[in-house]
Amino acid sequence: MNTENVMKWLQLFTDKVVENKVYLSDLDSAIGDGDHGANMARGTTEMMAALLAKNPETPADIFKLAAMTLISKVGGASGPLYGSAFLGMAKVAKNSDDIVVILEGGMAEIEKRGKSSVGEKTMLDIWGPVIDALKAGDLSIEKIETIAEATKNIKATKGRASYLGDRSIGHLDPGAVSSAYLFETMIEAGVVS
Amino acid sequence: MKKVINQPEDVLNDMLDGLSFAYADIVERVPETDVVVKVDKEDGKVGLVSGGGSGHEPSHAGFVGRGMLSAAVCGEVFTSPTPDQVLEGIKAADSGKGVFLVIKNYSGDVMNFEMAKDLAEMEDIPVEMVIVDDDIAVEDSTYTAGRRGVAGTILVHKILGHAAEKGQSLEEIKALADALVPNIKTLGVALTGATTPAVGHPGFVLEEDEIEFGVGIHGEPGYRKEKLQPSKELAKEIVGRLKKEFKWEKGEHFGIMVNGLGATPLMEQFIFTNDVKEILESEGLVIDFKKVGDIMTAIDMAGLSLTMIRLNKEYEEALKASVNTIAW
């Protein structure tokens, strides 16, 4: 992990979110309020503009600037959740370049901010299994897609989809899908091999 | 999608500029923000701030002014405002006695407002808050994020606004708010979905002869779809569910608010109000406060909601006090 490939990672992530803006909002319309795509596309675009304007020197600085932009530009539940995740990553990245430890720092902040844990049909159902796969040394794009697909079978107990109870089963979680993009592009950018 | 807009991404900015131009004697927009603040600032009183996603007009900016909100923070359509914006709202509302936040119970709103509360406290502004969860459509259980906050939130603005106006302290307002919220309950029915400008098609579709009970103000699915039926039948279902929640006795005093969701004409709202009145009279309730109109909309959704509040003298007096806002 270095400054160059982390910048490339967030650029690829932004591209993928913008490309799939309508799809993410459609997923959100099914079990939420239909704004996930628009919010994430706006937030990541602003994040990338800030990163290119300020050119942070270390991965920790990149994560921190990403966090601040996402918190102030996304809105909804995704803003504070992704913002807190990157803030957690920034804190750990100051003293470590181990991506597993950094992602664990990010995940801890998501859990704290969302008062949530794995198994509630949220973005954490990507973060947890992805970190586990990284530790086991078998993370791949296919594996991430399988993990994302598995959120279909979970009953939501947190977030807006929780109001649907059993009827949330059978739908992909939009936050889990955008987090899947984050980890797919992490591989594509060479941050992990 | 047929809407009088320019670019979907400019909707919020264009709307706030128009609103603050039209009602410049009551509100102004804080420069460089999406915060609407009342013009006649009064020092030495607790500031009252609410807000949330846009698309619920006249909520919340329409209730900014003397006797109600000090400021409203306006997010993108159906999207919670961000912590930095909420902080701007808190600062605009603060006159030295602290600021009270009224939050509708949605994960995004709660997280963003809580982050803003932390930021404000770092700047030595005392902040207290209440989360409104008046929508009884959703089962209240440990397996959901709780119940949603909907139209009843405006009655909270009105009653807390009166308390702040009278000079009550932040602690007194917090105690009042905590006692008040359980006495307010709402249930709605939708005839159509809502179309957000950024998406361009309705979030859900109901057939020509179909209605849905319990739909949320962002188009969240409700609890039951049925064939279209007369207003009387809708009133029976909605009042029946509210009765189960309130467990009221004959002779109790209540207030009612019939709220249009955006595309339902006042004609229909009054017809429904009349049906509600007949049922409540047969229940033996005393209705001391009534309000009808578009209070908390869902953009262009057709449908309405009924909010009921179990009254005491204090709430009644607060609801009837005069205010100077755009929409009360």
Side-chain angles (χ1 to χ4, degrees):
Chain A
M1 188 184 77
N2 56 50
T3 303
E4 200 183 345
N5 62 25
V6 170
M7 280 293 270
K8 188 176 171 192
W9 171 18
L10 296 186
Q11 180 67 64
L12 292 174
F13 174 53
T14 301
D15 294 347
K16 200 157 201 164
V17 167
V18 171
E19 208 173 297
N20 290 284
K21 179 168 108 168
V22 174
Y23 174 61
L24 288 173
S25 282
D26 285 347
L27 290 177
D28 196 23
S29 288
I31 54 173
D33 56 356
D35 62 357
H36 191 61
N39 292 346
M40 288 301 293
R42 182 181 58 244
T44 50
T45 303
E46 296 267 7
M47 167 185 82
M48 217 50 232
L51 288 171
L52 292 169
K54 294 195 178 149
N55 255 321
E57 282 173 20
T58 65
D61 290 340
I62 296 174
F63 293 142
K64 188 173 175 197
L65 183 56
M68 298 324 275
T69 332
L70 292 171
I71 287 170
S72 64
K73 299 295 180 193
V74 178
S78 309
L81 290 169
Y82 274 104
S84 299
F86 277 100
L87 214 49
M89 287 158 67
K91 277 185 212 163
V92 179
K94 270 193 193 143
N95 312 308
S96 165
D97 58 2
D98 179 345
I99 190 69
V100 173
V101 185
I102 290 170
L103 292 178
E104 281 177 331
M107 180 164 163
E109 289 300 315
I110 299 172
E111 288 175 315
K112 202 168 86 183
R113 181 57 59 195
K115 303 182 183 87
S116 179
S117 49
V118 170
E120 302 202 84
K121 201 183 184 92
T122 69
M123 62 200 288
L124 289 169
D125 293 304
I126 298 284
W127 283 71
V130 160
I131 291 169
D132 291 344
L134 260 181
K135 283 180 177 165
D138 68 348
L139 188 70
S140 63
I141 301 237
E142 296 71 35
K143 176 95 186 178
I144 294 169
E145 281 168 357
T146 309
I147 292 169
E149 196 60 26
T151 63
K152 263 191 182 170
N153 308 323
I154 305 172
K155 176 177 163 178
T157 54
K158 273 288 179 327
R160 213 181 281 267
S162 70
Y163 302 132
L164 296 178
D166 287 339
R167 285 182 296 158
S168 62
I169 297 170
H171 293 279
L172 285 170
D173 178 68
V177 174
S178 58
S179 278
Y181 296 163
L182 180 67
F183 297 124
E184 286 167 16
T185 51
M186 176 177 79
I187 296 174
E188 288 163 4
V191 175
V192 296
S193 44
Chain B
M1 173 171 72
K2 253 196 248 184
K3 290 185 188 291
V4 184
I5 58 171
N6 300 305
Q7 295 305 315
E9 56 272 21
D10 297 334
V11 162
L12 175 61
N13 186 54
D14 294 355
M15 170 179 78
L16 291 181
D17 278 346
L19 176 138
S20 49
F21 165 74
Y23 292 98
D25 52 338
I26 303 174
V27 298
E28 61 191 351
R29 183 176 179 178
V30 179
E32 308 293 310
T33 74
D34 299 326
V35 174
V36 172
V37 65
K38 66 178 177 181
V39 174
D40 55 349
K41 312 240 187 337
E42 301 161 280
D43 281 352
K45 288 178 181 173
V46 169
L48 193 62
V49 176
S50 190
S54 292
H56 306 301
E57 294 69 36
S59 293
H60 293 265
F63 302 106
V64 171
R66 187 187 48 78
M68 282 187 87
L69 297 176
S70 314
V73 190
C74 311
E76 293 289 336
V77 176
F78 286 0
T79 300
S80 169
T82 56
D84 52 309
Q85 292 291 317
V86 180
L87 179 63
E88 293 292 339
I90 292 171
K91 285 181 179 167
D94 178 44
S95 73
K97 293 288 177 195
V99 172
F100 194 84
L101 304 176
V102 181
I103 307 165
K104 302 199 293 302
N105 192 28
Y106 297 99
S107 310
D109 285 343
V110 172
M111 281 187 259
N112 285 292
F113 276 78
E114 279 181 349
M115 282 175 105
K117 180 175 186 275
D118 293 347
L119 294 170
E121 282 165 350
M122 286 198 284
E123 300 194 21
D124 296 325
I125 303 173
V127 177
E128 288 289 352
M129 55 183 254
V130 72
I131 296 172
V132 185
D133 55 353
D134 57 315
D135 188 350
I136 64 164
V138 176
E139 280 309 310
D140 196 10
S141 76
T142 45
Y143 302 108
T144 69
R147 288 177 162 177
R148 305 176 297 223
V150 288
T153 309
I154 306 309
L155 300 183
V156 177
H157 295 349
K158 186 73 182 69
I159 292 168
L160 299 187
H162 183 64
E165 176 79 359
K166 285 197 308 187
Q168 288 196 8
S169 69
L170 194 58
E171 292 68 33
E172 286 171 318
I173 289 173
K174 171 69 179 157
L176 173 67
D178 288 343
L180 170 64
V181 169
N183 288 299
I184 300 175
K185 299 184 191 304
T186 301
L187 185 59
V189 60
L191 279 58
T192 68
T195 300
T196 60
V199 174
H201 58 79
F204 67 94
V205 176
L206 288 167
E207 297 304 325
E208 190 49 40
D209 62 345
E210 195 175 42
I211 58 161
E212 186 169 355
F213 288 109
V215 167
I217 54 170
H218 309 93
E220 301 96 330
Y223 63 84
R224 199 169 70 235
K225 285 182 187 171
E226 283 190 12
K227 286 278 179 243
L228 184 63
Q229 49 203 259
S231 167
K232 273 190 177 46
E233 297 301 315
L234 302 180
K236 207 178 285 177
E237 164 74 17
I238 290 171
V239 173
R241 290 222 167 209
L242 287 163
K243 181 184 178 176
K244 278 200 190 98
E245 286 287 326
F246 277 114
K247 300 183 176 67
W248 58 59
E249 311 267 329
K250 240 186 182 119
E252 279 199 82
H253 291 246
F254 274 85
I256 62 167
M257 182 169 77
V258 171
N259 167 56
L261 290 171
T264 289
L266 275 171
M267 175 192 280
E268 295 167 36
Q269 294 181 39
F270 286 128
I271 291 169
F272 177 78
T273 303
N274 187 48
D275 294 326
V276 168
K277 163 192 155 271
E278 287 188 7
I279 298 172
L280 296 181
E281 278 178 352
S282 70
E283 288 285 327
L285 298 185
V286 185
I287 306 303
D288 294 313
F289 172 83
K290 309 87 141 170
K291 192 158 192 71
V292 181
D294 287 7
I295 307 280
M296 171 94 60
T297 58
I299 310 181
D300 55 356
M301 187 185 287
L304 37 74
S305 66
L306 172 64
T307 300
M308 292 183 69
I309 171 170
R310 184 179 251 126
L311 287 180
N312 60 26
K313 279 288 165 227
E314 184 185 13
Y315 300 165
E316 187 187 344
E317 179 197 321
L319 287 171
K320 290 179 175 174
S322 71
V323 295
N324 183 30
T325 65
I326 298 170
W328 179 260

